[in-house]
Amino acid sequence: RDASSPGPPLLTHPNGSILRRMELPNNESSITPRELALELRCRRMRIYDAIRSGALPALRIGNGYRILPQDRNDWLESLRVK
């Protein structure tokens, strides 16, 4: 299918191929640690360290991780300076 057809949001890989975003049963899209690091403009290792320490919950899918939107939001809220 092409990028204009309906369905889950698509991502474009740097080599130009189109990737499907993982679609969960309740229609939430997960993101990868790489995508979160790009969004936050931080090192990927910062995200992986948070996952390994248990501070950032993630799903283990194959050899990678996926982060749910609510887990991302909760983790970011925990980092807020008060």
Side-chain angles (χ1 to χ4, degrees), residues 67-82:
I67 302 160
L68 300 177
Q70 188 59 50
D71 293 334
R72 172 202 168 276
N73 295 341
D74 292 345
W75 179 65
L76 289 175
E77 188 61 34
S78 75
L79 299 176
R80 185 180 296 273
V81 177
K82 297 179 179 160

Side-chain angles (χ1 to χ4, degrees), residues 33-71:
R34 180 181 182 276
E35 291 169 327
L36 183 54
L38 287 170
E39 176 186 340
L40 299 176
R41 297 181 182 177
C42 70
R43 294 179 311 115
R44 258 188 307 186
M45 286 310 298
R46 171 75 173 101
I47 307 302
Y48 285 112
D49 289 344
I51 291 170
R52 279 192 281 274
S53 73
L56 175 58
L59 303 171
R60 179 81 176 179
I61 309 283
N63 65 351
Y65 292 101
R66 297 292 185 275
I67 302 160
L68 300 177
Q70 188 59 50
D71 293 334

